[in-house]
Amino acid sequence: MHIKKQRLLTPGPTPLLPAALHAMMGSDIHHRTEDFRTLYKQVLSDLKDVLGTSHDVLVLVASGSGGLEAATQNFFSPGDEVLVCSAGKFGERWVEIMKAWGMKATVLTAPYGDAVQPEAVEQALARNPNLKGVFVQASETSTGMQHDVKAMGLAVKKTNALFVVDAITGIGTMPLDIEGWGLDVVVGGSQKAFMIPPGLAFVAISPKAWAAADTAKAPRFYFDLKKERKNAVSGESAWTPNTALLLAFAEALKYIKSIGMDKVVENAQLLARATREAMQALGLELFSTSPGSSVTAVRPPAGMDSGVIIKEFRNRFNAIITNGQGSMKGQIFRLAHLGYFDFHDLFAIVAELELILAANGHAVRFGSGVAAVQRVYAEVALPKLELALS
Ligand SMILES: *Cc1c(COP(=O)(O)O)cnc(C)c1O
């Protein structure tokens, strides 16, 4: 009642891994020393392992959007014709970046909550052989939707266009076969599934993308990926790196490797599934028609502003969850599953949501949402008991 631990339960920044947090205190190292080079090489190599790719992966000092910008300016030229799949606030960010870099974007939009269909991408590519790139979100964090990047990637792979994927919340929440599916440029960020604070972006780059970089004319300086690649070979970053975050990153990658990336993805998928079943048990509607596993967007009961739920989580339980962005504000609340989230967190969130709904005049059978989460847990982790219960 009176002691309320603060809990950060948003889809970025996400809860921090304690070992990573503690590691940040060792940041009194210089970045042009052997100690640093050992750390940096380890991070780059573990990151490739975790992403399951032999492509170059480079780390930048920036939030995720810096990675999106780098993915644009290094591989394209002003005036290039590109295709953008936009189905939420982050899809709209791609459109703004295209505009800033003077690229001619054709935009395939889907209403908030829906996905752009791979067939539409395929048709657009067939209509316009000049397309130099296709830009998409693997997971659209603003709506809780995930795109079929596999089908899209296989379609783009057959063309000369590059497939550029904002996988900032896709990584660690859905399978991503970077090489098999033809994901040419994949962007990630530290504060999502990687369990560390904001401030690092990273980019995985295919040979097809590097070839495009040779003729791309957009100006670049700070985010010059070729320069970054040259330095990375000797274990250094082009500019002064964020040593504190790299120390944290090394710990987080070690932790993720000890679990296995496939298990980290399964963790998010199970939490997402349990959340969907709990919301259904509580009579709440999901916002997305193609829900992903990074975050679940939920509509509040009819007549209730979702801001009430967010405020109640904060005031009663000191728990920070997110509202909808832009025009979705007040229409949805979002429950995150990516990174350092576990079933313990979800049990508490659902139990608290039941109390919050009841406190605001919504009829709730206490325990019905929690029981849905228990059923999913039991089915996966207590198979014998599941038989007895059914
Ligand atoms: C968080 C996020 C970003 C990056 O946002 P930053 O605030 O720049 O880190 C981009 N795309 C998606 C889908 C995200 O979830």
Side-chain angles (χ1 to χ4, degrees), residues 11-13 62-68 90-91 93 137-142 166-170 187 189-192 198-200 294 325 334 338:
S63 78
S65 302
L68 301 182
F90 291 102
R93 186 167 302 178
Q137 269 64 39
S139 150
E140 174 51 78
T141 322
S142 68
D166 168 355
I168 293 173
T169 56
V187 182
S190 56
Q191 82 275 28
K192 307 290 171 102
L200 293 179
S294 62
Q325 297 165 257
R334 292 177 296 151
L338 76 172

Side-chain angles (χ1 to χ4, degrees), residues 103 161 239 264 291 336:
M103 288 154 68
W239 318 107
V264 169

Side-chain angles (χ1 to χ4, degrees), residues 33 37 62 84 111 172 203 207 217 222 271 299 340 359 382 385:
T33 61
R37 285 189 281 269
V84 179
V203 189
K217 293 193 181 59
Y222 187 73
L271 291 176
R299 292 184 191 276
Y340 200 52
L382 310 172
L385 185 61

